[in-house]
Every structure is written in C-alpha cells, then in structure tokens.
Amino acid sequence: MEVIKKVLVIGGGVAGIQAALDIADGGYQVILVEKTPSVGGHMAQYAEVFPTLDCPQCILTPKMVDVGQHSNITLLTYAELQKVSGEVGNFTVEILQKARKVNHKKCTGCGTCWQKCPEKVPSEYDAGIADRAAIYIPFAQAVPAKPVIDTEHCRYIKHLEFVEGETEGKRPPQCRICERLCPAEAIDWEQEAQTITEQVGAIVVATGFDLMPIKRLPEYAEDPDVIDGIQFERMLSPGGPNAGVVRRPSDGKIPGEVVFVSCAGSRDPEHGVPHCSRVCCMYLAKQAMLYKHAVHDSQAHIFYIDTRTTGKGYEEFLQRTMTEGTVYLRGKVSRIYRDGDKLKVMGVDTLSGKQVEVSADLVVLGMAMLPSVGAKDMAARLGIATDEQGFFTESHIKIDPLESTRPGIYLAGTAQGPKDIPDSVAQGSGAASKVLGLFARSEMTPEGLTVG
Amino acid sequence: MSIPEEKRNNDSDKAPGIEGANVPGSIGKLIPVYVMGKRYEVPETLTIMKAMEYAGFKFIRGCGCRGGICGACATVYRKAGDYRLRVGLACQTVVEPNMYLTQIPFYPANRATCDFSELTSNPEEIFKLYPELFRCIACNLCTKACPMDVEVMDYISALKQGNITKAAELSFNCIQCGLCASRCMGELPQYHIAQLARRIYGSKIVPRAEHLSEATAASTGGRYEAYLEALMKMGEEELRKVYQEREMEPEIAAEDWVPNDNRYL
Amino acid sequence: MDLSYYPGCTLKTRALNFEDSAIAAMAVLGVNLIELPRWNCCGTVYSMTDDDLAHHIAPVRNLVRIAEQGSDRVVTLCSFCYNTLKRADLLMRNSPEKRNTINTFMDDEIDYDGQVEVVHLLEVLRDDVGWEAVARKVKTSLEGLKVAPYYGCTLTRPQEIAIDSVESPTVLQGLMQAVGTTVLDFPLATECCGSFEIVSDPDAVIERAYTILGMAQRKGADAIVVSCPLCAHNLGHKQAEIAGKYSDFTGMPIVYFTQLLALAVGVNPEVCRFDLNFGGVEALLRDRGLIPQRV
C-alpha cells in the first residue's frame, strides 16, 4: 500500500509546533489541529522560563508565526479531532472545525470587537485571575490573531436561544455590538461547525498537560489567595492582568510573604498521583526568584521534599534562588487555612524536626502535572493506550519513547509524561524524525512494515 | 511407699472407682501422677490433695477446709500431651493418669491499703487504689483460671464502668485463691479488687435493713429485760416446766401464724 | 428502628451527658439505642505494632458479644470506641492469619470473621435518619447559636475507617444545620486535641487546646461541638489554665452534638445533663433562653 505523505499533528503547544515545523521543513504536508483559538499552549502563559529567564512569548512566537505561515502547514485552530480510522500509512481522520462565528477571511484582527464586547468571562489564558470578552483572542500574540465568539457566553446567542426556546422570565438583550462595530463585516452568525475529512499517513499526538485542580486537595483551603503555578505566572508576567505587579486575588494587596508548596498532589499515591511532575522544583524556584525581584523586601518560603534539578544549569539556578534569600523548608504541608488577613500554612521542617507554621499573604501550590483534560477520550478515539493517569503509553519506555502503542501514531511533549520545555521541543523534533523516516518509504505491507 | 503385691488390684478391666476401693484390703487401681516433676503412683480414686498425702507429702500450707470453699489449695496442672493449663482445687479434683501438677499456695498479688472508714461509694476511689485496673485487656485468662467459675473479666469490666454493685454480685463466689491474678497479663490483683468492691458494696451501697436496726435498738433498749430477769429468778423445776410448755412455731405453719403469747413480738 | 448500642467505659463514668442526651434524642427520632447486655472495655487504643495481637482481644471480644446477641450492626458514640472497634473489625476481616490466631486464642468464644458492622452515631443520623427527618423533628429553635464543628482525629483517621472525607468532613455540619444552628467554617475541625498527651505532657495539650479554642473564638463561635469525651476533656478541662496563660482567651463552651440535638428535638434539658459540661455551657444556654433560668 502506498504511504500517504501527509501528517496530522494534534496539539499546538511547543511540542506540536516543533514537530509540525520539522516535518514541514522536511518537505511534507502537515495539518496542525489545536482545540483552543490559538497555538502556543501553556508555554505562552508563563512569565519567564528557567534557567535562562527568557520571555517565553518572545522565544515561542517566531515559531508560532512560522506555523501559521508555513506553506506546508495547514493550521486548524478552534478545531478538534473527532474520529480516526485506518492504519499506519493510511489513516482517515475527521476533524471538527468549531464555528467561530467570525469569518477569518474578512477579519483584519483590528481588535475593535473584543475591546467593545460587554460580556466578561474568566479568561482561560489568564487561568481565571482575569477576564476576557465573549468575542476574543486568547492573548495578544495569538496565532491566528483573529477572534472567535464563545457561544456559551455571547449575549446575542443567549438571546436567540431564549427566543427560540420560548423561555420564561426576562429576555436577555440582543447586543450584537461586535457586528455593528466591525469594519470588515466579519461577524457571521450563520457560520456552522464543519467536519473536515483528511487522509494522512501518520499522526503525532502532542496534546500537552493540565495542572491538577486545587479542589482535589481540600486540606489546602478553597481560598482566592491559594493559587497554582500557572496563575502565579500570569501575575508575574509583564503581559499579565497586572502588568507584572504581583497583587493577590482577594484584596489586591501586594503580598509580603509568599509560601510555595512543592509536590501538591504529586508523589502522593494516597490522595493524589504517584508520579513526580518533574518541573515544579524548578518553576517554583524560578517563581520565588521572580517574586523577590518584583517585590524587593518580601520573603519567600518553599516547602519541598527534594530538589529535582536535573537539567543543564538547573542546579546552579536553584542555588542562586537560595542565595537570593528564599528559605527552603524540607517537609510537607498538612493544612492551609485562612485566619483573618493571613493564610496559615501548617507544615514541618524535617531537618530541624520541628513543626512549622508560616503566616503567608499568598500561597502558590506546585500542583501535579496531569495529561490535558480529555486525554483519555483522545486515546480512545486514536485507539492508543494510556497509563492510569492518562499519559499516553509509549511503545517501549526506554528505547522507543516516541512511538505509541499503535503504529503510525507518535507521541511528543507532556502528553507522554511530565517534562520541561527543552525535552518537549526535543521530543517534537524526535517525533518528526520518526515521521520523516516513515515517509522515506513509499510502500507498506499490510502488517505495517515498510518496504522500498 | 510400696504396696504389697497381694493388696494391689491389677484387674484393669474393672471400672475404676468405688468398686476397686471397696474390695477389702485393696486400694484400687494405681495411676501415675507427677508432683513438681517427680513421678508417683497413686490410687485413681483419690483427690489431688489425698493423692499427694498418699505420696508422702505433708501439708502445712495450701491445705484448708478440705471442703472446696476456702481457696487455700489452688492447683495448676496439665494433662499429658496437652498444652492447655488447667486449674482446680486440690481437695475437690480427682487425679487423672499423667497429671502434671503443682500447688500455688500463695500468689504475691498487690493489695492496696486504705482507711476503709474514709471510703465512699465513688468508683474513682477504687481507681485510685488500684490504677492497674485499667491495664485489663479483656484477654479472659482470669475467667478461665477460676476454679469457682466466677466471671472475673466481667466484674473487672463492670468496675471499669463504675458499677460496684454489679462487680460485687458477679464476684460473690470468689474464694480468694489467687489463680486469676497468677494468669493476668495486666498484672491486676482481681480478687483483691473484687474484695474491696464487695466491702464497699456491703458497707456503703446496700441499703440498711431498717427493721433490724429497730429490733436491735428495742432489744438493747431493754425490751426483754423484765422477762429475762423473771427467768433468772426461776428455780430449776419451774424453768423446766416453762421450757417444756413453751410455744413453738409448727413445722408447717400458715404464713400469718402468731403465738398466743404476743407480749414480746 | 432498634440498634445495638455499645457505650464504652467513659460514657458510663465521665460522659453521662453524652449518653443520656443521645438515647433521649434518638428515641424522639424513632431509633432505640439498646445497650448490649454484656460488654467490656474496648481497649481504647488500637495497637499498631504488627505482632501485638493481645491488645486487639478486647475490641474483638466485644464484636463477638454483639454477634452472639444476634445483631449484625452496632452503633457507638465515643469516637475512640468507634475507632478501636472498627479497626479491630477490619483487622479480623482483612488478615486471615491474625484472625486465625485471635480466634484460636479466644477458644472460649465463637469465631469472629467480621459479622458485625460498626457505625458511629453520626453515620446513623446521616444515612439512616437523614437531615430532613431530623429537621422535621425540631421543636426548639437553636437559631442564632453559632457553633464550630470539631471532629478530633479518630472519626476520620485512618482513612479506612473514616466516616466522611478525611480532610474536609461535613457530617457534623450537616447535623448542626439540620437542628438550626449557624455552622461556622472551622479550618481546625480535624486537628488533634492532644489526646492521651494530657497524661504525659499536659503542656502540649494546653497549646493545642489554645490553638483550637482561640480559632473558634476568633471565628465568633458560641460553642464548639464535639463527639469525643477525650476531646471534650482536653478542650474543656484546662480552660482556666489557658485563660491564665493567654489573656486573649475568654472561655469557650464545649457541648456534645447529641446534647444540641436533644435540646432541639424537645428533650427535657435536665436529661441532657448540661451541668456536667465544661466551659460555661449552662450559662450560654440560659442566656439564649434555651434552658430555663435557675430558680
């Protein structure tokens, strides 16, 4: 059988982007599918990345733009894979292009609509600590830089549903401000979702990760000032809701004491997940350092079990964090609760053998890294195996970590397991090379062996 | 002690017991028992106490009423081939072949001292005198050790619950032999604690019989003085006559029977 | 409905208020707590050393008693008794070797293989009676009474025997809401009161108690609701000392959940034995007009 020289890359984070670029540069057609309105993934949310403290948007956006403009890449954002059939060399894939309600051919990305939209929705990109409009681009450097309408929150859509459903009560207003103000007449309420069917020879799965929700650890208090790492990144980020001024969610006060909790949910077979999430030691150290740069006379405490600093320059970075005044306490945190203006963090310092209670203004939890929401469904659709947490299982964990359990479907990035950005990028390229190797053959036997 | 051949009853097909013993001049079938490790041959019809005396032991301690009620002859024994420890009173238990036995004439159990007149019926006072009460882990070895089938663990339990009355009632049959304390994992002196409970019960809890106090008061108050004076003054003849003519309650009398002479009722 | 009831030693000596109020309240709710005719001390502390089976004999013997009496379910009030009996039951169910050893040792009893289900009264109230049924029986309004629910450790730890979520249980809150009190958010609800350290290190207990009592005071609680006589003792007994050491502590009434339940469903306050409580409970309730003034 012929090998179709086209590849589907699922996931537009840094691993998927790298894989797409490498395969495209290798001369083959790539379809890159991303379920959110823009590529970029979690890396685009961070403030500065370790160990270089580079701005992630600055180093990522060139690749994002490449992906958007590469002649060999068809970028489908706001789209999701629905169905896969066939086998290596010859997959049939069905992709749902969700209805944006905005005609991207007409839209110029001027920004008038999202500036004027009256609706406020918690922003996914800002991890819920700031709002966006119902018509929006997720962030300023989005690719494509053209908006989508969130139909669940759009006032006009709700108005239409109300009218059609003949519901009782007060009728929501018609709104349609975006439509009225759009200079390009790009709003298209009639736009429907579309199913796109394609034939591809290989698939790369790079669906990324999500952090474990804080509410899975009820002992850490449901409190607006107990946040996770990504939320803190948005606070630290100069492009964030407060332009890099760290203000705590409850009252906007600048915190003078921040406690970071490592292994929140990780390494915890009883209440969380048994695995180590690999990046938290580093990013919590980085966040403590950035926090102290932002708030000069502040104090940071990090509760840790170990300090896993395995990459190049990582250990040195950690030492710097400690030297710059962050206090490391070796022990776990048993409970966090609010007492008036402060959050009380009850933990232990095993090196001195004493119980410790820290009074914090803000607590950042190093929540466990889990496969992105919906990974297990994706695995079912693709017909590949996952482990108990939902990370996709590789063909052999040591010697073949990028091939899934189904020939022709490859893995890259945190979808395969927790890892940092350099490893995700490396795996993106690695998966690409597997695909390029596959495509170097022209024919395959029914068993999936390549010939010629 | 050696038994002459003609006096031995060697008919093993005869049932043990009285038959053999009633044969004149015979002492019945002999069986081996081990007293403190040494083997003796003793008649099978004897109690442990009698068998030990038969074997030549003379009791100067550990022998009391011989009637099963004083608790002095507490004995611990095993039967051959069985790991189980058994207990019994030497004066009541008949020997069996290959019994391994020893006596426990005295067990050094803790006995608290107190001024009894200062005690009340508050169980906290027992707890203070015997704090080891709370070391009981309900293993029930004490109950198993009791030769009088007293529910030892249950009365200890009742005391822990502050119920002195129940403890007194349950421990009624205790003969203070000490076997319970000898087996106790928590080192409680059960029988001493129970005795204290019974004393408190009798002295501070049980209601006084009012009619007894009244009758005693009447008596010491001189109710019968005149009659006794009169009797003392009588001569032998008159006394005899009065005695023979006295009124006695018939053996089978109605419940409401009263004597004719009711002066001293 | 009839339920076999295991009191435990403390309920018969120091916590009569806990027991009397419970029996009376449950009777109003249609549940008869029938005390087991024969029972012994539960042993209180579950022995965790692997080779110490002797300390499991006491609780297992009680389970045998319950099975002998034809019951397959027993309810207990004291949290420690619940913890010990339940863990002993689990040991017998899960470990064939230990079960065998213990059954063989207790050759004077029937074998125990886990025939009995051990429950705590809060579970019965939540699962068998239900909050709605409790609310329907409320005669005396406890509205305006602000309570801090306090579980102590033994009801939710270890997790195999927990009656509710280990970190954030809500069963006590559910009951207190059903009887009409205002339940405060109390983050230290499952923090240990100091437990047996009251014997060997009372100063440690004073510190723990102050932390818990102080938090309740800052949250504006009128009383702390407890389920364990040891917690009641540790939180209540040393209040004078705590007030002497920490001037910001002004006292905190400690009340059993069954007492508030009984009061709410119309049981005579005399039965609830508020006179046996620590911390000024009688004064508080009199103040709110919930129990009559002293003549």
Side-chain angles (χ1 to χ4, degrees):
Chain A
M1 294 162 332
E2 197 201 326
V3 174
I4 298 174
K5 308 288 175 72
K6 206 173 189 185
V7 67
L8 171 70
V9 176
I10 310 172
V14 67
I17 288 173
Q18 189 62 47
L21 287 173
D22 285 348
I23 297 167
D25 283 345
Y28 298 105
Q29 295 288 313
V30 180
I31 303 166
L32 177 55
V33 166
E34 164 57 43
K35 71 180 178 197
T36 67
S38 165
V39 293
H42 283 298
M43 184 176 168
Q45 292 175 293
Y46 305 151
E48 288 171 39
V49 291
F50 58 81
T52 51
L53 297 185
D54 276 311
C55 151
Q57 294 84 7
C58 301
I59 56 179
L60 184 60
T61 44
K63 298 200 183 212
M64 286 164 60
V65 168
D66 266 352
V67 144
Q69 297 190 339
H70 204 295
S71 50
N72 278 345
I73 300 180
T74 306
L75 178 59
L76 297 174
T77 59
Y78 212 49
E80 287 187 52
L81 178 74
Q82 298 294 101
K83 220 168 134 199
V84 172
S85 56
E87 75 230 315
V88 56
N90 199 339
F91 291 109
T92 304
V93 297
E94 272 177 39
I95 299 159
L96 179 70
Q97 170 65 65
K98 296 187 279 193
R100 295 189 181 97
K101 303 296 187 193
V102 175
N103 186 336
H104 275 203
K105 291 202 171 55
K106 291 188 183 170
C107 171
T108 59
C110 69
T112 313
C113 55
W114 68 71
Q115 282 165 28
K116 297 297 185 192
C117 172
E119 188 67 16
K120 294 272 168 272
V121 182
S123 161
E124 294 86 349
Y125 176 75
D126 279 322
I129 62 165
D131 291 331
R132 57 162 171 81
I135 182 170
Y136 70 105
I137 55 168
F139 52 100
Q141 303 88 353
V143 170
K146 295 177 182 177
V148 307
I149 294 181
D150 174 4
T151 53
E152 260 181 63
H153 293 102
C154 166
R155 292 187 183 187
Y156 178 55
I157 305 274
K158 284 204 265 217
H159 167 93
L160 287 177
E161 282 165 5
F162 182 92
V163 167
E164 273 163 44
E166 292 169 6
T167 328
E168 284 185 16
K170 193 158 175 260
R171 194 176 62 186
Q174 241 197 50
C175 191
R176 296 172 85 161
I177 289 177
C178 52
E179 189 186 7
R180 279 187 268 132
L181 294 175
C182 175
E185 290 177 14
I187 307 292
D188 181 5
W189 302 112
E190 313 302 318
Q191 192 185 81
E192 299 276 326
Q194 275 187 300
T195 302
I196 301 167
T197 309
E198 289 274 358
Q199 310 286 118
V200 295
I203 300 175
V204 176
V205 186
T207 48
F209 76 92
D210 277 314
L211 291 181
M212 181 189 278
I214 294 181
K215 64 164 107 64
R216 265 184 70 172
L217 301 175
E219 63 270 32
Y220 288 170
E222 268 192 63
D223 190 290
D225 292 334
V226 175
I227 59 174
D228 67 30
I230 295 186
Q231 288 172 313
F232 198 50
E233 292 287 332
R234 297 313 305 146
M235 284 183 197
L236 290 165
S237 172
N242 281 320
V245 178
V246 179
R247 290 190 183 281
R248 63 179 194 172
S250 63
D251 57 8
K253 216 176 79 166
I254 297 180
E257 158 76 63
V258 175
V259 170
F260 298 85
V261 180
S262 310
C263 308
S266 302
R267 303 180 62 180
D268 189 354
E270 303 272 321
H271 296 114
V273 290
H275 66 256
C276 162
S277 294
R278 211 155 148 184
V279 290
C280 335
C281 285
M282 280 309 294
Y283 79 66
L284 290 177
K286 171 205 73 181
Q287 288 181 347
M289 189 191 285
L290 294 179
Y291 165 63
K292 283 189 71 64
H293 292 174
V295 185
H296 289 292
D297 53 356
S298 61
Q299 180 62 58
H301 284 91
I302 301 186
F303 282 93
Y304 73 102
I305 303 177
D306 296 295
T307 50
R308 295 187 163 175
T309 49
T310 49
K312 233 177 180 177
Y314 289 10
E315 178 61 28
E316 296 87 326
F317 184 90
L318 188 90
Q319 292 299 325
R320 193 177 138 199
T321 307
M322 292 190 195
T323 321
E324 288 185 6
T326 298
V327 172
Y328 270 74
L329 295 164
R330 189 178 179 279
K332 290 210 77 169
V333 169
S334 65
R335 187 173 287 278
I336 301 172
Y337 62 93
R338 178 166 284 275
D339 193 5
D341 196 35
K342 294 284 195 181
L343 287 163
K344 295 289 168 77
V345 181
M346 291 168 67
V348 63
D349 175 15
T350 56
L351 296 181
S352 69
K354 288 194 159 53
Q355 295 207 336
V356 168
E357 191 176 88
V358 184
S359 257
D361 295 309
L362 181 71
V363 176
V364 179
L365 303 176
M367 295 304 294
M369 190 184 269
L370 298 176
S372 72
V373 171
K376 283 193 178 168
D377 290 331
M378 177 62 71
R381 263 176 258 158
L382 291 166
I384 59 176
T386 69
D387 67 10
E388 208 184 302
Q389 308 310 326
F391 291 110
F392 300 118
T393 310
E394 44 295 278
S395 152
H396 190 287
I397 198 167
K398 276 294 215 182
I399 213 68
D400 199 0
L402 297 183
E403 181 143 4
S404 75
T405 49
R406 187 171 174 184
I409 300 185
Y410 303 98
L411 311 172
T414 51
Q416 180 259 346
K419 57 178 65 71
D420 53 21
I421 292 167
D423 286 350
S424 294
V425 172
Q427 285 201 338
S429 295
S433 80
K434 304 282 278 183
V435 171
L436 294 174
L438 178 67
F439 288 1
R441 314 283 182 228
S442 312
E443 281 176 33
M444 297 192 73
T445 66
E447 291 83 31
L449 303 168
T450 56
V451 288
Chain B
M1 192 165 135
S2 84
I3 300 114
E5 185 59 47
E6 60 273 18
K7 287 205 171 166
R8 291 191 199 205
N9 179 357
N10 290 325
D11 292 334
S12 54
D13 58 336
K14 280 214 184 110
I18 308 168
E19 205 183 312
N22 276 341
V23 171
S26 145
I27 44 144
K29 181 162 165 246
L30 294 178
I31 57 166
V33 296
Y34 296 81
V35 181
M36 289 189 280
K38 205 165 164 189
R39 183 192 155 107
Y40 298 91
E41 296 224 331
V42 295
E44 65 188 356
T45 57
L46 297 181
T47 60
I48 293 176
M49 183 172 279
K50 292 243 176 78
M52 284 174 71
E53 287 173 323
Y54 181 94
F57 288 90
K58 202 166 164 191
F59 284 100
I60 58 168
R61 191 169 179 91
C63 173
C65 66
R66 293 180 185 262
I69 203 64
C70 75
C73 62
T75 307
V76 178
Y77 63 92
R78 278 210 164 87
K79 295 209 246 185
D82 188 355
Y83 64 86
R84 236 171 278 270
L85 270 182
R86 293 165 207 273
V87 295
L89 295 173
C91 65
Q92 301 297 298
T93 315
V94 178
V95 291
E96 289 172 53
N98 295 312
M99 239 183 187
Y100 267 68
L101 45 83
T102 192
Q103 292 223 285
I104 314 282
F106 175 75
Y107 191 76
N110 175 40
R111 197 195 157 108
T113 48
C114 62
D115 187 341
F116 189 77
S117 62
E118 285 179 8
L119 291 185
T120 67
S121 61
N122 185 350
E124 297 280 332
E125 288 170 9
I126 300 186
F127 300 162
K128 270 206 202 77
L129 287 169
Y130 289 103
E132 58 267 42
L133 181 66
F134 291 96
R135 285 169 58 90
C136 169
I137 57 168
C139 68
N140 214 25
L141 286 177
C142 50
T143 310
K144 289 200 228 184
C146 179
M148 298 298 288
D149 292 331
V150 171
E151 288 175 336
V152 186
M153 189 192 74
D154 283 291
Y155 76 61
I156 292 292
S157 196
L159 275 176
K160 274 162 124 180
Q161 296 159 29
N163 194 338
I164 299 179
T165 304
K166 189 168 173 199
E169 285 165 6
L170 286 176
S171 66
F172 186 77
N173 286 334
C174 171
I175 55 173
Q176 309 281 97
C177 69
L179 282 170
C180 50
S182 74
R183 300 288 290 148
C184 178
M185 282 203 218
E187 293 153 322
L188 281 75
Q190 291 91 330
Y191 62 111
H192 286 144
I193 306 176
Q195 190 181 74
L196 178 62
R198 290 195 300 278
R199 290 180 69 191
I200 291 177
Y201 173 71
S203 168
K204 327 273 179 187
I205 296 179
V206 152
R208 293 279 167 267
E210 299 253 333
H211 65 282
L212 177 62
S213 330
E214 282 166 20
T216 314
S219 179
T220 47
R223 187 165 196 229
Y224 306 105
E225 280 307 308
Y227 188 50
L228 284 169
E229 289 269 348
L231 283 174
M232 298 283 277
K233 288 202 183 108
M234 285 183 196
E236 194 183 322
E237 285 284 330
E238 208 189 334
L239 209 49
R240 213 181 277 272
K241 181 167 172 280
V242 167
Y243 179 73
Q244 281 163 354
E245 288 171 7
R246 72 191 185 284
E247 247 190 299
M248 287 206 320
E249 182 172 346
E251 266 201 54
I252 302 166
E255 271 219 30
D256 54 354
W257 176 89
V258 287
N260 291 329
D261 181 355
N262 58 2
R263 280 176 297 163
Y264 298 105
L265 284 177
Chain C
M1 138 174 140
D2 287 346
L3 269 184
S4 284
Y5 158 57
Y6 174 84
C9 308
T10 319
L11 282 239
K12 291 293 186 192
T13 50
R14 301 226 173 125
L16 293 167
N17 45 358
F18 198 3
E19 180 175 69
D20 292 351
S21 56
I23 295 177
M26 293 312 283
V28 173
L29 293 171
V31 177
N32 292 327
L33 295 179
I34 301 176
E35 185 178 324
L36 294 166
R38 193 179 173 205
W39 56 272
N40 52 261
C41 172
C42 73
T44 309
V45 182
Y46 178 87
S47 171
M48 287 192 278
T49 47
D50 251 354
D51 55 358
D52 176 14
L53 295 179
H55 283 94
H56 301 308
I57 290 168
V60 172
R61 198 181 293 278
N62 281 310
L63 295 167
V64 162
R65 292 277 165 271
I66 298 157
E68 264 174 357
Q69 281 145 32
S71 286
D72 59 0
R73 207 166 179 230
V74 67
V75 66
T76 164
L77 285 176
C78 168
S79 311
F80 251 106
C81 293
Y82 167 75
N83 191 292
T84 310
L85 288 177
K86 187 89 180 171
R87 288 166 91 179
D89 173 57
L90 272 182
L91 177 89
M92 293 300 270
R93 286 180 198 222
N94 296 340
S95 168
E97 215 183 287
K98 295 185 182 173
R99 172 169 71 236
N100 198 36
T101 307
I102 293 178
N103 278 331
T104 308
F105 177 79
M106 295 203 294
D107 52 6
D108 48 342
E109 312 278 6
I110 59 170
D111 277 356
Y112 183 75
D113 305 315
Q115 304 98 299
V116 176
E117 188 198 353
V118 180
V119 292
H120 186 266
L121 189 66
L122 283 170
E123 293 181 274
V124 173
L125 283 164
R126 178 190 60 198
D127 302 330
D128 296 289
V129 179
W131 304 143
E132 275 169 30
V134 171
R136 275 200 293 273
K137 291 281 185 178
V138 171
K139 286 209 189 80
T140 308
S141 170
L142 298 180
E143 205 181 305
L145 196 66
K146 293 197 274 254
V147 297
Y150 180 72
Y151 293 84
C153 333
T154 46
L155 287 180
T156 56
R157 304 206 265 276
Q159 45 179 346
E160 300 91 72
I161 59 113
I163 65 169
D164 199 348
S165 151
V166 177
E167 297 290 352
S168 329
T170 54
V171 59
L172 197 48
Q173 287 89 316
L175 177 67
M176 288 296 109
Q177 270 163 358
V179 300
T181 58
T182 306
V183 183
L184 302 168
D185 170 46
F186 191 55
L188 300 183
T190 55
E191 293 299 311
C192 179
C193 68
S195 192
F196 285 111
E197 292 297 314
I198 190 72
V199 175
S200 47
D201 190 359
D203 288 330
V205 173
I206 287 179
E207 294 307 311
R208 292 300 297 174
Y210 172 63
T211 307
I212 295 164
L213 294 166
M215 163 69 71
Q217 198 176 277
R218 283 196 294 285
K219 292 278 178 179
D222 293 316
I224 295 182
V225 180
V226 299
S227 168
C228 168
L230 189 52
C231 295
H233 181 89
N234 283 358
L235 292 179
H237 200 56
K238 297 274 182 191
Q239 287 197 8
E241 263 185 79
I242 296 171
K245 196 170 169 192
Y246 295 101
S247 55
D248 61 329
F249 176 64
T250 53
M252 175 61 61
I254 310 289
V255 69
Y256 289 107
F257 71 90
T258 51
Q259 291 178 301
L260 287 184
L261 174 65
L263 200 59
V265 298
V267 170
N268 184 345
E270 302 267 310
V271 173
C272 300
R273 300 298 311 264
F274 290 112
D275 56 307
L276 294 177
N277 286 57
F278 295 112
V281 173
E282 276 186 300
L284 168 75
L285 296 175
R286 235 176 260 132
D287 211 43
R288 301 298 171 97
L290 292 167
I291 62 176
Q293 298 291 331
R294 275 250 166 93
V295 175

